[in-house]
Amino acid sequence: MNFINKLSAAWTANNSLLCVGLDPDLAKLPAELRDAPDGITTFCTRIIDATADLVCAFKPQIAYFGALGAEKQLEDICRYLREHYPHIPLILDAKRGDIGATATQYAREAFERYGADAVTVNPYMGEDSLDPYLAWQDRGVIILCRTSNPGGSDLQFLQTDGEPLYQRVARLVANKWNKNGQCALVVGATFPEELAQVRAIVGDMPLLVPGIGAQGGDIAATVGAGQTANGMGMMISSSRAIIYAQPQAGEDYADAARRVAIETRDAINAHRAG
């Protein structure tokens, strides 16, 4: 099953547009896990088990593992996802962007080493830098378009052929680069008007939408702007607000993550069409 089909099936099976990000920060892990050799793996796999029936995807952010020298733990977590939840898409959030020969190695890292169903990439160097990822026709290539950070406007709003650069990227992906039907776009929840404009350009193409939760994106505005006519089409990502949710009486960190994931999924579903 290719990435797009797996994602569509997960949207339906779990009735969810929620994507949970896995961003392990040692300073925020429970005290008993901070010095444990397998603490990162234990933390992430328990979050996965607690939320797997509530999500349409999981998204480990590679920098959080690389900074800790925890690539082996990331391999173990990705393997755990593939073995226990093979029906849920695994997105490697890497935002890679380099020339073709190097991009070929980055694609192998994402798709061979980690077994990801999809990877995030940066289009700044153009189509040939994306070709090594697009060659993996069963995998997803999720391309940065309109990012959720304030500084994204420094470049993404520059005018090119009479439209902002982020809209030019959306058109290139929709009309030229998505030859195998495997592409998606990253569009931030913090800019719902731009999100709606991207949706109008790309039709039903999936959108990875960061920016709710800790970044403050409005769920109602996000869903209204980005959903497709059938109430699908988005992977609305929340990381820190879920995985570091404050436990209430009788809860541990996994219970707290599940509670907030349910709240987030339900808040998203309350505004979906259909």
Side-chain angles (χ1 to χ4, degrees), residues 15-153:
N15 188 31
S16 178
L17 304 183
L18 175 63
C19 170
V20 168
L22 302 173
D23 300 358
D25 181 342
L26 285 182
K28 296 179 180 178
L29 262 58
E32 68 272 18
L33 297 180
R34 291 173 195 164
D35 296 322
D38 61 348
I40 292 171
T41 302
T42 298
F43 177 78
C44 289
T45 54
R46 287 209 62 210
I47 295 291
I48 289 165
D49 287 341
T51 60
D53 62 326
L54 306 172
V55 305
C56 67
F58 286 105
K59 182 177 69 65
Q61 180 15 278
I62 196 169
Y64 280 86
F65 296 88
L68 300 173
E71 291 90 348
K72 177 59 168 62
Q73 290 92 322
L74 178 56
E75 290 181 19
D76 292 342
I77 291 160
C78 291
R79 185 180 306 110
Y80 186 86
L81 268 168
R82 294 195 306 273
E83 291 177 352
H84 291 83
Y85 305 100
H87 57 291
I88 298 178
L90 163 58
I91 299 168
L92 185 68
D93 193 359
K95 300 181 180 69
R96 300 301 196 197
D98 213 319
I99 60 172
T102 306
T104 297
Q105 303 308 313
Y106 280 140
R108 291 187 59 200
E109 175 193 45
F111 299 140
E112 289 183 1
R113 182 180 184 186
Y114 296 117
D117 294 298
V119 64
T120 58
V121 298
N122 191 320
Y124 189 77
M125 297 182 74
E127 183 177 9
D128 60 315
S129 71
L130 303 182
D131 283 340
Y133 305 95
L134 297 170
W136 294 71
Q137 296 185 21
D138 62 332
R139 310 300 174 95
V141 183
I142 307 177
I143 299 159
L144 295 178
C145 179
R146 178 63 174 125
T147 57
S148 58
N149 61 306
S153 299

Side-chain angles (χ1 to χ4, degrees), residues 147-150 187-194 209-212 215-218 222:
T147 57
S148 58
N149 61 306
V187 186
T190 46
F191 302 105
E193 291 183 5
E194 286 95 73
V209 185
I212 67 166
Q215 294 187 59
D218 180 82
T222 297

Side-chain angles (χ1 to χ4, degrees), residues 202-266:
V202 302
D204 289 344
M205 182 181 294
L207 303 178
L208 175 61
V209 185
I212 67 166
Q215 294 187 59
D218 180 82
I219 289 177
T222 297
V223 176
Q227 67 180 325
T228 55
N230 63 355
M232 305 286 191
M234 290 191 292
M235 302 159 276
I236 301 177
S237 178
S238 180
S239 303
R240 289 166 287 169
I242 290 176
I243 68 175
Y244 301 121
Q246 185 65 36
Q248 297 180 354
E251 291 183 336
D252 69 2
Y253 67 90
D255 298 324
R258 178 172 181 80
R259 170 174 47 80
V260 176
I262 290 172
E263 293 170 356
T264 308
R265 180 206 59 184
D266 290 351

Side-chain angles (χ1 to χ4, degrees), residues 1-8 11 117-118 127 133-143 172-185 202 204-207 235:
M1 182 180 292
N2 65 31
F3 167 67
I4 299 296
N5 290 339
K6 183 183 283 194
L7 176 61
S8 296
W11 281 331
D117 294 298
E127 183 177 9
Y133 305 95
L134 297 170
W136 294 71
Q137 296 185 21
D138 62 332
R139 310 300 174 95
V141 183
I142 307 177
I143 299 159
L172 280 170
V173 176
N175 299 329
K176 185 178 180 185
W177 296 348
N178 196 28
K179 295 181 287 287
N180 302 313
Q182 70 199 101
C183 291
L185 292 173
V202 302
D204 289 344
M205 182 181 294
L207 303 178
M235 302 159 276

